[in-house]
Amino acid sequence: MLIYIHVPFCRSKCNYCAFHSLPTAVMEPADRRAMIQDYTDAILLELAHHGDALKGQPVESVFFGGGTPSLLPPGFIGAVMDRIGSHFSLAPKAEVTLEANPESLRDRKLLPDYLSAGVNRLSIGIQSLDDATLRLLGRPHKAMDSMQAVFAAREAGFSNISIDLMWGLPGQSMKQWLQTLKDALRLGPDHLSAYALTLEPGTSLEKDCENGLLSLPPERDQGIMFMEGAALLEANGFLHYEISNFARMGFQCRHNTGYWEGADYLGLGPSATSTLGERRWTNPANLKIWQEMVAKGRPASDVELLTPKTRVLELIMLRLRTARGLRLKAYKAMTGNDFLVDHQRLIQAMHENGLVRIRNGYLSLTRSGMLVSNSIISNLFEKTESLLDRNLKPVKPAALTEKHEPAPKNPASAAMPVVWPVARGSFSKIS
C-alpha cells in the first residue's frame, strides 16, 4: 500500500495551479500557526482512524505532496512517520518523498532534520531556471534559489533528489527548453519530471491565454520540445520510464510507479483520494470541512465501488503511460479477451505509423505514441467500453498487479470496512 499526505499550504498561489492549496503569506503569523497546528492534529487523528481500520497493513512508500510540504517543520514529518509506524507495517526500505519549493529550503539547517525525520527522497519544484518565466508562472523563487536548494540538499546528505520542470510555456522556444534541460542536468539530479503545461480552468494563466495576453507555443513546436527533450535526457543517462518522468538507473519514483501499476493507496488531508480494494473515495476539498469530518470520526459518505469495466479501463490508461506498457496477459485475465484481437485494426494502424511496439508480452507506446497518448487512449477506451458492455467476465482484484510483482496485501478487500477518504496526484496530459 502507498500513503499520500496532502499538505494544502503554499506561500502563494501559482498562476497555473488548480490543486487545493491555501496561500499563507497573506495570513497573520498567529493565524498561520493556529491553522497549521489544527491541520497537524487532524492528520494524526485521520491516520489513527485508518490505522484502526486497516490493522498493520504493509506500507511501501509515503509521499508528502501539496501544496508545499516543506513549509511545515521537520517535526511534523517525524510525528506523521511515527504515527504511520505505530499503525502500519512500514517497509524497512520504504521510499519517503517530500515535495519542496526552492524558496522554502533557504534555511539549510532544515535539510538534515528532514533526513532525520525519515525523508529519503526530495522532490524540488523548480519548474524553470529562467527568472522571467518564473515570474510569469507566479513562482515565489528565483533560479538561484533552485540551484542553491539542490546543492544544499546534496551537501546535507540526500542521495535521491528529483526536480520538476515544465515545458510548452507561454513564449517558450525549443532552444530555451533545451537550454533549461542542459542547465538542470548540471545540477546532477537523480530523477527529473518534465510536465507539459496544462491550462487548468479558472487559473489566471488560463484567463491570460484566453484573453490573448499570453499564447502557448504552436502544437508542432510543443511536439518537438517533447521529442528532443526526451532524447537529450536519455543521451545523458536518464531512462524515459513514464510519459513525463525520467530517472537514472535505480531512481524511478516507486510511489508514482505504484499508482501506474494499480497498487492500493491511502491518502490523508483535504482533497485527497484513496483506492483500497474495490473502493474509492475523496476527501472534501475544504480544510475546515475535512477537519470537521475527521473530528467527528465520520466515514466517507460517497464511496465509489469500482466496477470491472472501470478496472479494465484504468489498467489500459495507467499502464500505457509507462515505458513497460500494458501486459497483455493482465488484460486477458481481467476480460477473457485477447487485446490484440479486440483492437486489431487500431493496433495495426498505430504500429504502421510507429506509435506502438509489441515486445515480450507487452504493448507499449513509442515516444511518438506518447506524444499523442491522449488520442490513442481515447480511441482504445471507446472500443473497449463497447466490448466490455457486451462481454465481460468478473474481474479479480489481484489481476491488477503484474504477475512478476507480489499482489498488494489487502485484508478481505471485498468485505473491507468503509473507512476514510484520501488523494493522489493528477497525471499531466500530453495531447
Side-chain angles (χ1 to χ4, degrees):
M1 185 179 75
L2 322 171
I3 291 183
Y4 173 84
I5 298 99
H6 185 71
V7 178
F9 309 121
C10 280
R11 198 175 301 280
S12 58
K13 192 80 171 178
C14 296
N15 296 337
Y16 58 87
C17 181
F19 286 108
H20 173 62
S21 62
L22 302 168
T24 62
V26 297
M27 298 179 185
E28 293 295 330
D31 293 338
R32 182 166 60 244
R33 285 193 298 270
M35 182 179 65
I36 290 175
Q37 185 59 57
D38 289 344
Y39 163 80
T40 301
D41 292 342
I43 282 287
L44 295 176
L45 181 57
E46 189 179 21
L47 254 175
H49 287 310
H50 283 305
D52 290 342
L54 298 175
K55 305 293 183 188
Q57 183 94 332
V59 172
E60 297 298 322
S61 70
V62 180
F63 196 105
F64 293 86
T68 308
S70 53
L71 284 179
L72 300 187
F76 166 78
I77 305 297
V80 170
M81 293 305 298
D82 286 345
R83 186 63 58 94
I84 290 173
S86 65
H87 285 285
F88 300 92
S89 178
L90 188 64
K93 294 184 179 180
E95 177 188 86
V96 181
T97 299
L98 178 75
E99 286 189 335
N101 279 350
E103 79 283 354
S104 66
L105 299 177
R106 286 174 183 150
D107 184 356
R108 296 189 176 200
K109 297 176 184 177
L110 293 175
L111 287 162
D113 292 338
Y114 282 126
L115 271 172
S116 298
V119 176
N120 54 30
R121 182 176 183 271
L122 194 64
S123 179
I124 305 176
I126 290 176
Q127 313 311 352
S128 174
L129 287 166
D130 176 76
D131 285 342
T133 301
L134 290 169
R135 287 194 295 272
L136 181 149
L137 294 174
R139 301 290 290 174
H141 69 273
K142 295 184 177 181
M144 184 58 68
D145 293 323
S146 297
M147 291 184 274
Q148 290 176 344
V150 174
F151 295 146
R154 198 66 88 184
E155 190 176 64
F158 278 94
S159 59
N160 191 347
I161 298 175
S162 176
I163 63 175
D164 286 0
L165 297 173
M166 298 178 72
W167 57 272
L169 303 175
Q172 188 181 49
S173 69
M174 173 66 191
K175 183 178 179 181
Q176 289 171 325
W177 170 234
L178 290 182
Q179 187 60 51
T180 294
L181 288 176
K182 291 174 184 176
D183 292 341
L185 287 170
R186 293 190 187 99
L187 300 178
D190 305 294
H191 183 282
L192 195 150
S193 297
Y195 296 109
L197 173 66
T198 300
L199 293 177
E200 297 290 349
T203 60
S204 60
L205 200 59
E206 185 219 25
K207 292 174 184 175
D208 286 345
C209 287
E210 281 188 349
N211 295 333
L213 300 175
L214 296 172
S215 60
L216 301 182
E219 188 173 317
R220 178 181 177 276
D221 290 358
Q222 291 190 46
I224 295 173
M225 286 182 191
F226 176 74
M227 300 292 284
E228 293 296 322
L232 173 65
L233 290 172
E234 285 202 331
N236 282 272
F238 282 78
L239 302 173
H240 191 183
Y241 74 101
E242 191 270 345
I243 287 178
S244 302
N245 286 277
F246 303 79
R248 297 193 187 280
M249 186 67 73
F251 287 93
Q252 294 91 329
C253 178
R254 284 150 50 194
H255 186 89
N256 286 340
T257 297
Y259 288 148
W260 302 320
E261 293 183 348
D264 282 0
Y265 56 90
L266 172 69
L268 311 163
S271 80
T273 298
S274 293
T275 297
L276 294 175
E278 302 304 302
R279 290 170 165 78
R280 177 172 295 157
W281 63 89
T282 299
N283 277 350
N286 179 288
L287 183 62
K288 289 188 176 180
I289 294 176
W290 164 73
Q291 287 172 340
E292 290 171 359
M293 180 192 76
V294 173
K296 293 176 181 177
R298 192 174 73 240
S301 57
D302 187 15
V303 177
E304 176 190 3
L305 294 178
L306 300 179
T307 65
K309 182 166 75 172
T310 297
R311 286 296 202 180
V312 173
L313 294 175
E314 289 189 354
L315 176 84
I316 295 171
M317 177 186 70
L318 296 174
R319 300 308 196 281
L320 287 182
R321 289 194 62 88
T322 67
R324 177 182 287 162
L326 170 67
R327 186 169 180 262
L328 300 175
K329 285 186 177 180
Y331 178 86
K332 186 161 189 175
M334 296 177 72
T335 66
N337 297 343
D338 187 322
F339 188 82
L340 300 182
V341 173
D342 283 351
H343 302 283
Q344 184 175 3
R345 286 189 177 182
L346 178 58
I347 291 172
Q348 183 176 348
M350 290 191 296
H351 191 267
E352 289 173 355
N353 285 279
L355 302 178
V356 298
R357 64 170 64 92
I358 302 168
R359 183 183 301 162
N360 299 326
Y362 286 82
L363 181 140
S364 60
L365 302 183
T366 63
R367 187 168 297 153
S368 296
M370 287 182 174
L371 184 61
V372 291
S373 60
N374 283 353
S375 178
I376 290 173
I377 291 172
S378 177
N379 279 290
L380 289 172
F381 267 31
E382 185 177 347
K383 180 65 182 297
T384 302
E385 283 190 285
S386 175
L387 289 167
L388 297 182
D389 286 339
R390 294 200 305 265
N391 178 30
L392 177 64
K393 73 177 188 177
V395 63
K396 298 177 181 178
L400 286 170
T401 304
E402 303 292 3
K403 188 175 180 181
H404 55 271
E405 296 174 324
K409 295 179 182 177
N410 191 16
S413 61
M416 181 178 291
V418 176
V419 285
W420 286 75
V422 198
R424 85 177 155 182
S426 67
F427 302 109
S428 72
K429 306 173 198 170
I430 297 181
S431 303

